[in-house]
C-alpha cells in the first residue's frame, strides 16, 4: 500500500506543481509582465493547465485510488493519508465526468463572452450580452448535467466552489438571513449617517503600503513565505505552502480601499500559510471551500480590522503616519467612517452591512435562471426590482445593474456567489468559537496582539487545509451545523451600537 | 507535408513553452521570490524541464523529422521551414544520444559540486574540490563519448554552446590572438595608468538606473517587450519573443558596474527581441550560439558603450545627472577611467583589453584536462604559471585562482568559456561590417542615434535567430570565415590611441 500511496502522491505532486507553475505565470502576468508578453503567456498557461488536467484524469490515477480505497477506509476519517485519498477521489470523480470537449467549448465561449462583456458593460449594452448569456446558461446546464442525480440543477455548480453545499440549504439559509437583514438595514438607516469625508483626503501610496504591511505582519502574515505587490484587482495566489502571495491596490485620495484590501488578502493568505506543511503539493494544500476561504479574509478585514478594539490600538499609529490628514479627526469619527452603512449599486464597493444583500440577489437570480423560472429577457428588470426591495435603490442602467460583475460573463452561471455570504456567516461563527475558547482575544487585539486568535485559527481552521469539507469543518469546530445566529448578533451588536 | 510540419511545430511549441515557463519560474526565483518558496521552486522547475525534455526526445519527434527530411532539402537552405527542420534535427540528434541516466547523474553531481564549491572557494580549499573535479572530468568525458567520431574530445562539449565550432580551430584562433594580445598588453602598460578614481564616488542607485534605462531605450531595447529588474548576478532571460527581460545590479560607490551591466544585458536582449517574430516558440527563436550572443552584449557594452563618440554625446547628460560626482571631471578623464587597462586576477572584473587572456587560460587548461595532458594535481600551479606569463600577475591562493569561476564546479569541464572570446572577436567583425555598409554609424552614435546600427544588426544578425550556425552567419555576413584581424585592429586603435 505504501508503494501505491507514494505513486499517488508523486502523481498528485506533479499535478499540483504544474498548476502552481501556471499560477506563477498568472501572478507575473498581473504584476510585472510587459505588454508584449501577453500572447505567449496565455498559450503557456493553457498548456500547463492542460497538462495538469491530463495527468490528473489519467485512468492510472483512478486505478491507484481504487487500489487505495480500502486502505483509506481502514485508517479512519482523521488520518491524513485517508483525507488525502478521500479528497483526491472526490476531485477525480468530478474531473472525469466533464468531457474534455465540453471543457474546451466552455473555455472558448468564456473567453469570447468575457471579451464582449468588457465592451458591452462600458456601453451599457445588455442586448449584446443577452444571446451570449443564453449560451452560457446552456453550457452551465450541460455542465451540471454531467452530474446526474442532483436535487437541484445548481448543486453541481455550487459544489465546485463550496463542496458539499446544496442549493436547497443555501437558499433556506439565505432566505432566513435576508428576512433579518432587510429590516435591520432599515433600522440602521434611521440613524444619522456617518461622516466619512476624512477617508477622502490625500493619502500617499508609500505610507498606505507601509502601514498596511506593518499591520498584516503583526496579524501573522509571514513575509518570509509571501510578499505583496500591486495589481488592478487585489488577489491572493499560492505557489506552494512556502510561497503564498498577495496583491493590493491603492487610491491616493481614498484610504478605505488599499488598507482593507491588504488585510482582506492577507486573511486569505494566512489561511494557506497555516496549512499543515506535510500537505505540501497535495490536494489538501488548499483552502477547503470558497466560503471558508472568504470567512478568513472577512474575519481579518471586518471582524478584526474594522472593530473598535483594533482601532483603539492602531488609530494613534495611523494618525502619526498621516498627521495632516487625520490629526484633527477623532477616533470615533474615524471608526464610524470606516463602518459607514450606505446602500449602493455596486457589490464590490458595498459596506459590511449591505454586502450580503448584493450577494443574495445574485444567488437567487442565478438559481431562477438555471431553473428556467426567470427568463433572460426579464433579468435586468428582476435585478432592479430586487435592488429596490432589498436596498431601496436601483440602477436605471444595466452597467451598474446586471452587467456589473464579471462572473456570469466569464463562462458559467451558478456557484460563484454563495461563497461570499457563506464567508461572512462563517467569519462570525468561527470568531465566536475562538472567543469561547479564549475570551481574552478582544483585549489582546486592543493591544495589537493577534497571537491567540491567529493560533486558534491556525489549529482549528488553517491546519487541516482541504482535509474536511466546509460542513465537516463547521461541525468539528462548533459542534453543530452552520448557523446565521452569530453573524446576525455580530451585525446587530456592531451597527445598532 | 504541411500536416506533418504543423504537427512538428505544435510539438516544438510545447517544448519551447515548457522551457519558457521554467524560465519565468527561474526569473521569479532570482528577483522576487520570498525565501520560503525555494524548496518547491527547485522541484517545479525540474519538473518543467523534464517534461520538455521527454516531449522533445519522444520517438514521435524523430519520426516527424524523418518524414520531413526530404521536404526540408527540397526547400533550399534559406527557407525558414527548412531552417527550422534542420535545427530541430540537430538538437534532437544531440538530445537522444545522451542517456537520461547520465543526464540525471550529471545533474545530481553538478548540484553537489556546486554546493561544495560555494564553501570551498570561501575557504580557499582546492583539496576538497580535487576529487569532485575528478568526477566532473569523468562525467565530461562520458558526455563527450556519447558523440563518437569527434576529432577532439572537447568538440561535442564546445558544440553544445557554439554549434559547429571545434577545438582545433578555436585553439588555433586563440593561439594567434594570444600571440598578439600579450605583447600588445605589455605595450599598453608602458603608458601611464589612467586615473579612474572618479568612478569610485557615491552614485545613488535610482539615478544610475534611470540613466542606464534611458541609454538602452535609445539604443533600441524595447521596454514594451521586456523590463529590467535587480538581481545578484545580471542576466538576460526570454519567455517569448515578446517578453525578453534583463536584470542588473548597482554598486552605490562604483559607477562602472551597473551602467555597463545594463548595456551588456540589453545587448543580449536586443538580439532576442530582434529575431523574426514568425519564429515564435520554435527552436529558431534563440540566439544561435554563445559566441554570437556574447558578440551582441560586448558590441553594445564595449564597442559602442565604451567608445569616445558615445561619450562625446552622453557625458554631458551623465554630468547633469551626477553634478557633484562628475562636475569637475573632464570627458577625457572619464573616458580613460572607463577604459582603464590593469591586469587583475578576476575574470569578471577584467577590463576589455585583458579579458580574453583570462578566457583563453581557462580554455587551454580545460582542453589539457580533457586530453589528460594536465593532471588535476597540477592544475592550480598551471593556472598560476599562465597568469604570470600572460598577465604578469598571479594569485597566491586558489580562491582567486582556479576556484574563482563557477563553470567547472557546476558539472561539466569543457565548452563553457570559448564563447566569451568568440563574442569579442565577432563583435569587432560585425561592427566593421556594419560600418562598411554604413560609414555614418559612428557620427550617428555621436548624436545619440543608434537606428542605423541597430537596424543593420537586426537585419543581419538578429532576424535569423538560430537559423544559421555561427560559422554560417559569419560567412553570410562577412563573405569569409571568422578572423581576429578586425578585433586586433580595434583594440590597437583604441588602446594605443
Amino acid at each position: 500500500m505504501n508503494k501505491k500511496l507514494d505513486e499517488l502522491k508523486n502523481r498528485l505532486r506533479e499535478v499540483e506543481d504544474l498548476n502552481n507553475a501556471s499560477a506563477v505565470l498568472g501572478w507575473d502576468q498581473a504584476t510585472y509582465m510587459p505588454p508584449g508578453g501577453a500572447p505567449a503567456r496565455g498559450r503557456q498557461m493553457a498548456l500547463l493547465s492542460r497538462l495538469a488536467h491530463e495527468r490528473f484524469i489519467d485512468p492510472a490515477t483512478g486505478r491507484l485510488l481504487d487500489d487505495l480505497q480500502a486502505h483509506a477506509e481502514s485508517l479512519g476519517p482523521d488520518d491524513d493519508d485517508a483525507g488525502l485519498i478521500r479528497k483526491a477521489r472526490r476531485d477525480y470523480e468530478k474531473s472525469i465526468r466533464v468531457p474534455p470537449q465540453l471543457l474546451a467549448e466552455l473555455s472558448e465561449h468564456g473567453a469570447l463572452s468575457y471579451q464582449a462583456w468588457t465592451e458591452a458593460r462600458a456601453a451599457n449594452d445588455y442586448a449584446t450580452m443577452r444571446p451570449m448569456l443564453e449560451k452560457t446558461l446552456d453550457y452551465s446546464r450541460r455542465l451540471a448535467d454531467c452530474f446526474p442525480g442532483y436535487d437541484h440543477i445548481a448543486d453541481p455548480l455550487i459544489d465546485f466552489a463550496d463542496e458539499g453545499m446544496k442549493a436547497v440549504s443555501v437558499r433556506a439559509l439565505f432566505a432566513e438571513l435576508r428576512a433579518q437583514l432587510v429590516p435591520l438595514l432599515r433600522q440602521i438607516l434611521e440613524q444619522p449617517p456617518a461622516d466619512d469625508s476624512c477617508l477622502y483626503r490625500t493619502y500617499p501610496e508609500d505610507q498606505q503600503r507601509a502601514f498596511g504591511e506593518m499591520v498584516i505582519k503583526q496579524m501573522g502574515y509571514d513575509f518570509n513565505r509571501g510578499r505583496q505587490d500591486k495589481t488592478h484587482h487585489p488577489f491572493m495566489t499560492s505557489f506552494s505552502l512556502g510561497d503564498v502571495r498577495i496583491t493590493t491596490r491603492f487610491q491616493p485620495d481614498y484610504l478605505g480601499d488599499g488598507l482593507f484590501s491588504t488585510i482582506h488578502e492577507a486573511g486569505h493568505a494566512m489561511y494557506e500559510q497555516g496549512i499543515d506543511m506535510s500537505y505540501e503539493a497535495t490536494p489538501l494544500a488548499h483552502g477547503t471551500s470558497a466560503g471558508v476561504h472568504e470567512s478568513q479574509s472577512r474575519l481579518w478585514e471586518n471582524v478584526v480590522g474594522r472593530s473598535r478594539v483594533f482601532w483603539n490600538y492602531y488609530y494613534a499609529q495611523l494618525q502619526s503616519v498621516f498627521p495632516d490628514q487625520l490629526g484633527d479627526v477623532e477616533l470615533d469619527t474615524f471608526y464610524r467612517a470606516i463602518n459607514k452603512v450606505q446602500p449602493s449599486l455596486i457589490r464590490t464597493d458595498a459596506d459590511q452591512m449591505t454586502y450580503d444583500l448584493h450577494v443574495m440577489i445574485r444567488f437567487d437570480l442565478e438559481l431562477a435562471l438555471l431553473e428556467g423560472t426567470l427568463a433572460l429577457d426579464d433579468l435586468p428588470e428582476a435585478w432592479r426590482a430586487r435592488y429596490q426591495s432589498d436596498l431601496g435603490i436601483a440602477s436605471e442602467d444595466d452597467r451598474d445593474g446586471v452587467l456589473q460583475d464579471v462572473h456570469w460573463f466569464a463562462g458559467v452561471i451558478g456557484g460563484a456567489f454563495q461563497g461570499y455570504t457563506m464567508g461572512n456567516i462563517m467569519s462570525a461563527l468561527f470568531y465566536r468559537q475562538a472567543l469561547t475558547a479564549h475570551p481574552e482575544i478582544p483585549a489582546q487585539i486592543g493591544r495589537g496582539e493577534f497571537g491567540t486568535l491567529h493560533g486558534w485559527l491556525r489549529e482549528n481552521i488553517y491546519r487541516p487545509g482541504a482535509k474536511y469539507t466546509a460542513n465537516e469543518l463547521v461541525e468539528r469546530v462548533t459542534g453543530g451545523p452552520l448557523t446565521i445566529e452569530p453573524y446576525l448578533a455580530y451585525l446587530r451588536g456592531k451597527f445598532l451600537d
Side-chain angles (χ1 to χ4, degrees), chain A residues 52-347:
Chain A
H53 187 69
E54 282 173 6
R55 274 179 133 61
F56 186 56
I57 62 166
D58 190 299
T61 310
R63 283 193 298 272
L64 285 168
L65 288 168
D66 286 345
D67 293 346
L68 287 161
Q69 182 69 19
H71 176 61
E73 281 161 19
S74 77
L75 293 171
D78 287 346
D79 182 86
D80 284 345
D81 286 335
L84 184 146
I85 296 165
R86 212 162 55 221
K87 172 72 176 149
R89 170 166 285 282
R90 289 199 309 265
D91 291 348
Y92 178 74
E93 297 292 346
K94 274 189 248 185
S95 293
I96 58 169
R97 276 171 186 266
V98 185
Q101 177 63 22
L102 176 60
L103 263 191
E105 281 178 40
L106 242 171
S107 162
E108 196 187 344
H109 170 67
L112 288 173
S113 173
Y114 174 78
Q115 190 51 46
W117 170 74
T118 58
E119 290 166 30
R121 192 195 168 189
N124 188 34
D125 177 9
Y126 179 73
T128 295
M129 294 315 296
R130 164 75 184 69
M132 284 267 177
L133 278 179
E134 185 84 53
K135 222 167 165 179
T136 305
L137 198 52
D138 180 53
Y139 276 123
S140 305
R141 289 185 180 128
R142 282 168 61 194
L143 184 61
D145 286 337
C146 297
F147 303 87
Y150 51 69
D151 296 326
H152 188 284
I153 188 166
D155 284 354
L157 307 175
I158 292 173
D159 193 79
F160 282 125
D162 291 282
E163 196 169 34
M165 304 257 173
K166 285 170 186 291
V168 59
S169 51
V170 178
R171 191 179 237 169
L173 207 68
F174 282 9
E176 198 188 333
L177 182 64
R178 181 182 169 218
Q180 307 271 346
L181 281 188
V182 172
L184 177 57
L185 175 62
R186 299 249 160 84
Q187 214 180 331
I188 291 165
L189 291 177
E190 283 165 13
Q191 301 171 355
D195 171 10
D196 61 351
S197 60
C198 65
L199 303 178
Y200 294 88
R201 294 173 179 176
T202 301
Y203 292 93
E205 179 179 317
D206 286 354
Q207 281 105 301
Q208 284 196 49
R209 182 181 184 127
F211 185 83
E213 295 193 347
M214 181 270 292
V215 165
I216 61 174
K217 198 170 174 181
Q218 292 180 358
M219 285 175 163
Y221 177 70
D222 181 356
F223 276 93
N224 282 317
R225 297 194 290 134
R227 51 177 289 121
Q228 178 171 256
D229 296 272
K230 276 170 55 180
T231 49
H232 279 295
H233 298 282
F235 62 84
M236 180 223 75
T237 183
S238 163
F239 312 143
S240 73
L241 292 177
D243 191 354
V244 183
R245 304 190 192 179
I246 58 176
T247 72
T248 194
R249 67 179 166 207
F250 300 100
Q251 296 185 34
D253 47 10
Y254 178 54
L255 185 63
D257 192 18
L259 174 61
F260 293 105
S261 279
T262 292
I263 301 177
H264 181 98
E265 300 307 331
H268 282 301
M270 284 189 274
Y271 184 6
E272 303 240 341
Q273 286 187 334
I275 293 171
D276 196 309
M277 288 299 281
S278 72
Y279 297 171
E280 166 67 9
T282 75
L284 302 185
H286 303 277
T288 194
S289 76
V292 176
H293 235 304
E294 197 70 8
S295 79
Q296 295 314 301
S297 56
R298 303 290 280 186
L299 189 155
W300 288 102
E301 177 197 353
N302 288 338
V303 181
V304 175
R306 290 185 207 265
S307 71
R308 200 178 279 269
V309 284
F310 178 88
W311 288 107
N312 281 347
Y313 179 77
Y314 279 105
Y315 189 58
Q317 292 186 46
L318 188 69
Q319 281 180 310
S320 77
V321 174
F322 299 115
D324 295 341
Q325 299 89 333
L326 294 173
D328 63 340
V329 179
E330 296 290 319
L331 167 59
D332 191 63
T333 306
F334 178 79
Y335 172 73
R336 287 177 186 277
I338 60 169
N339 284 296
K340 182 179 184 179
V341 177
Q342 185 167 42
S344 69
L345 297 172
I346 308 295
R347 175 182 63 86

Side-chain angles (χ1 to χ4, degrees), chain A residues 357-390:
Chain A
L357 295 173
H358 292 263
V359 172
M360 292 186 291
I361 290 173
R362 289 152 177 78
F363 179 79
D364 288 341
L365 292 179
E366 67 182 7
L367 254 54
L369 287 172
L370 285 164
E371 289 163 357
T373 50
L374 173 65
L376 282 168
D377 284 337
D378 301 328
L379 178 62
E381 210 35 57
W383 183 284
R384 266 184 279 276
R386 265 294 287 269
Y387 263 80
Q388 198 63 58
S389 74
D390 289 12

